[in-house]
Amino acid sequence: MTIEKTLFAAADKMRGSMDPGEYKHVALGLLFLRYIGTAFQRKYDELLPEGEEVAEDVDEYLADGIFWVPEAARWSTLAANAKDKGIGVKVDNAMRAIEADNEQLKGALPKVFGRESLDPTIVTGLIDLFSNIKFDGTPKDFDLIGRIYEYFISEFASNEGKRGGDFHTPKPVVELIVDMIEPMKGRLYEPCCGSGSFMVQSERFLEHHKGRRADLAVYGQERNHTTYGLARMNLAIRGIVANIQWNAEGTLLRDAFPDEKFDFVMANPPFNISDWNGDILAEDRRWKFGTPPVGNANFAWMQHIYDKLGSTGIAGVVMANGSMSSMSSGEGDIRRAMVEAEAVDAMIALPGQLFYGTQIPACIWILAKDKSNGVAKDAKLRDRRGEVLFIDARKMGALVPGSRKQKELSRDEIARIATAYHAWRGEPDAGAYADEPGFCKAASIEEIAKHNYVLTPGRYVGAGAAEEDGEPFEEKFDRLTAELRAQFAEGRWLEKEIEARLEALS
């Protein structure tokens, strides 16, 4: 078992009957304190031989991008006082002291530890648990804490079910979109950033491809204030500098970056939202392809995102499957206008059960501002006008170990989808593109028109070749019949066993 899983299992056991939605702020807040405390202490120990005055010089830390931690907020201080009955209040005060001395963190840290409803033994237990994380004294330690934080967010989202999807997008979906649109250089924007997972994965993509962090400027906005705090802590742990705005009115009603355009946009907006002020925004200039229905914000999000793209921008948007085929309230007309205007680059149908607590099937829309010459001035991509790529990934994915509800895509499956897209749009390193029955198809706009501009990939890719398992039919039939009879027999035995036990109880 990995250290992430071991720590989460231990932390979750301490939760008891506490709601996971509340508990996540306790656990993640303390994990964040452990991170900044470790970074601070390492720098402090490095400076101490030069004298205590140097070790306590705030500027020494800020120069290295390390948060200054006042003495009362240092992890060593909190760990020494972990068994005090008032430890919750001490942690709250530590959070306030850190915010007071670090402008970047103002308003981001939770102050929930001193509440009467929170058993102080939970705070004590978590401090002891996180104190036992073993570090080897290298920069990899901070990557470890980042992985632990990310794993905790993912597990809390899974435990919260549908509510979890409001603040976190499953990692394989994030990886797929990032790998497809390749944010290497320019400006990246998340219009509903949640816990900041797209931003974190984009930085990871940069590192993997030897890109420079300074080449990618990151922007985002979030409506929920507690989620906004989660995102800021998540980015701080990774050392990511981003311009994230808290926007209580919501992105569609008030754009926090009204005059900005972006090279990359990634989003997992809430599906099928009816309360989005559609009546107020009926005449909004963003509705280039048609006014979205008042009762559903899907195409409002899509058009907002398209409007934010620069002249060669590209976007990856997670949407409910209904967005690909709905004809109600003018949505079919909007979709047709988007296709005819060359706004749609690719459509990907995802497998079910990828998202937390909801069985609503989802898809990914890849939008492009200019399909004629690629997404970057230095890219030599082919002219894709007149075509849309369809990828059907519904048969991909496997259940997460230990879960009967949650699926995930493998790295190989993500690479297969991304490579098909890259090959289709003409990236030299991706190889030659070819349609693959049952998986991918480059369809002309004329063909799409014959399907009344319904963009469901299954309509275009056709059926794949039937898989041969080499087992003769007669043998397979006998084997399956025997398995079925054995299951029937087991069912009858279980039925008698249950009846016997019920009779014994009565």
Side-chain angles (χ1 to χ4, degrees):
M1 186 180 286
T2 64
I3 187 171
E4 299 99 298
K5 290 182 179 179
T6 302
L7 284 169
F8 185 81
D12 197 45
K13 192 173 181 180
M14 293 178 199
R15 176 171 67 87
S17 60
M18 188 175 181
D19 181 86
E22 296 178 21
Y23 185 64
K24 72 171 179 282
H25 298 294
V26 176
L28 292 172
L30 285 171
L31 190 55
F32 180 76
L33 275 186
R34 178 69 165 117
Y35 157 73
I36 62 171
T38 301
F40 174 87
Q41 193 63 48
R42 199 161 288 181
K43 184 66 178 177
Y44 185 91
D45 293 343
E46 179 188 313
L47 295 172
L48 195 56
E50 300 178 43
E52 190 169 343
E53 186 176 333
V54 176
E56 294 286 345
D57 184 352
V58 177
D59 292 337
E60 292 283 352
Y61 297 86
L62 299 182
D64 278 359
I66 296 170
F67 294 110
W68 167 257
V69 184
E71 187 170 356
R74 293 172 191 172
W75 188 260
S76 56
T77 304
L78 295 173
N81 292 280
K83 292 181 170 51
D84 288 4
K85 288 184 179 179
I87 185 59
V89 174
K90 284 185 170 66
V91 174
D92 282 341
N93 289 338
M95 295 290 190
R96 293 187 182 95
I98 291 168
E99 285 189 351
D101 285 343
N102 298 275
E103 183 69 29
Q104 188 183 341
L105 294 174
K106 279 204 170 134
L109 307 184
K111 295 94 177 171
V112 297
F113 303 88
R115 294 179 307 180
E116 287 187 13
S117 59
L118 179 58
D119 185 345
T121 61
I122 292 178
V123 181
T124 299
L126 286 170
I127 291 175
D128 289 344
L129 178 67
F130 296 152
S131 293
N132 288 326
I133 299 175
K134 302 299 181 188
F135 295 125
D136 61 13
T138 70
K140 289 183 179 178
D141 292 340
F142 303 119
D143 181 60
L144 171 63
I145 295 182
R147 291 201 327 265
I148 294 169
Y149 189 92
E150 184 177 28
Y151 185 81
F152 270 49
I153 288 180
S154 177
E155 288 300 300
F156 281 127
S158 181
N159 287 348
E160 286 189 62
K162 190 172 187 303
R163 284 187 303 164
D166 292 342
F167 66 85
H168 187 65
T169 303
K171 187 178 178 182
V173 178
V174 174
E175 288 180 347
L176 175 57
I177 290 178
V178 171
D179 283 9
M180 289 186 76
I181 73 172
E182 303 176 301
M184 287 291 290
K185 188 175 183 179
R187 290 150 63 86
L188 167 68
Y189 170 57
E190 266 201 79
C192 38
C193 70
S195 61
S197 50
F198 283 109
M199 301 175 186
V200 169
Q201 184 60 32
S202 295
E203 293 286 335
R204 194 176 289 140
F205 178 88
L206 268 180
E207 291 172 9
H208 182 70
H209 290 83
K210 305 294 188 282
R212 295 193 325 133
R213 187 174 278 190
D215 287 341
L216 190 67
V218 180
Y219 299 77
Q221 55 187 322
E222 172 57 43
R223 183 172 190 169
N224 183 296
H225 193 267
T226 54
T227 303
Y228 165 71
L230 281 181
R232 291 173 67 192
M233 288 192 290
N234 195 13
L235 298 181
I237 281 178
R238 298 288 184 176
I240 298 171
V241 177
N243 183 352
I244 303 181
Q245 301 291 320
W246 172 48
N247 180 1
E249 296 173 74
T251 299
L252 295 177
L253 187 60
R254 185 181 69 81
D255 184 2
F257 307 101
D259 302 319
E260 304 287 351
K261 298 292 182 182
F262 301 95
D263 301 290
F264 310 98
V265 181
M266 300 183 225
N268 176 20
F271 298 166
N272 305 320
I273 293 297
S274 58
D275 182 18
W276 65 279
N277 298 296
D279 50 346
I280 298 173
L281 297 169
E283 303 297 325
D284 196 277
R285 63 161 191 79
R286 291 171 291 181
W287 314 148
K288 178 180 177 181
F289 305 113
T291 304
V294 172
N296 193 313
N298 287 348
F299 281 94
W301 280 110
M302 214 94 71
Q303 293 188 81
H304 167 77
I305 289 165
Y306 188 79
D307 180 70
K308 299 306 292 181
L309 292 175
S311 60
T312 58
I314 185 169
V317 189
V318 182
M319 269 287 150
N321 269 5
S323 63
M324 298 189 289
S325 58
S326 170
M327 293 293 180
S328 63
S329 305
E331 289 184 331
D333 295 330
I334 297 173
R335 194 167 51 249
R336 173 177 180 165
M338 291 179 71
V339 171
E340 291 181 339
E342 303 286 1
V344 183
D345 210 25
M347 299 294 304
I348 301 92
L350 296 172
Q353 297 176 264
L354 284 182
F355 292 85
Y356 305 111
T358 177
Q359 297 302 310
I360 297 177
C363 61
I364 294 173
W365 291 63
I366 303 294
L367 307 178
K369 209 60 178 280
D370 181 6
K371 291 167 66 173
S372 67
N373 61 359
V375 297
K377 292 177 181 177
D378 57 351
K380 303 297 182 184
L381 305 181
R382 73 180 189 88
D383 188 340
R384 309 181 304 283
R385 288 175 295 181
E387 288 183 11
V388 174
L389 178 66
F390 291 92
I391 297 177
D392 190 348
R394 290 176 297 170
K395 293 180 181 178
M396 290 184 173
L399 288 173
V400 175
S403 172
R404 289 182 294 176
K405 296 180 179 178
Q406 190 82 32
K407 275 188 175 182
E408 64 182 3
L409 295 168
S410 69
R411 278 302 311 166
D412 287 345
E413 289 169 332
I414 290 169
R416 184 185 177 198
I417 296 168
T419 300
Y421 174 62
H422 296 159
W424 171 76
R425 70 178 188 173
E427 293 187 34
D429 295 341
Y433 171 80
D435 290 341
E436 185 178 335
F439 175 60
C440 62
K441 161 81 173 180
S444 67
I445 289 182
E446 291 75 21
E447 188 176 352
I448 295 169
K450 289 177 184 176
H451 288 282
N452 203 18
Y453 296 89
V454 169
L455 302 182
T456 308
R459 289 194 175 215
Y460 301 92
V461 303
E467 293 185 10
E468 291 290 340
D469 57 13
E471 185 178 10
F473 173 77
E474 292 80 5
E475 292 180 17
K476 180 182 286 188
F477 181 80
D478 291 343
R479 177 177 60 79
L480 293 175
T481 301
E483 288 178 6
L484 183 61
R485 284 174 179 159
Q487 289 168 358
F488 282 157
E490 186 180 6
R492 288 191 293 270
W493 178 85
L494 285 171
E495 188 177 341
K496 289 179 182 177
E497 185 73 11
I498 291 168
E499 286 178 354
R501 295 196 179 192
L502 287 173
E503 191 173 332
L505 287 172
S506 62

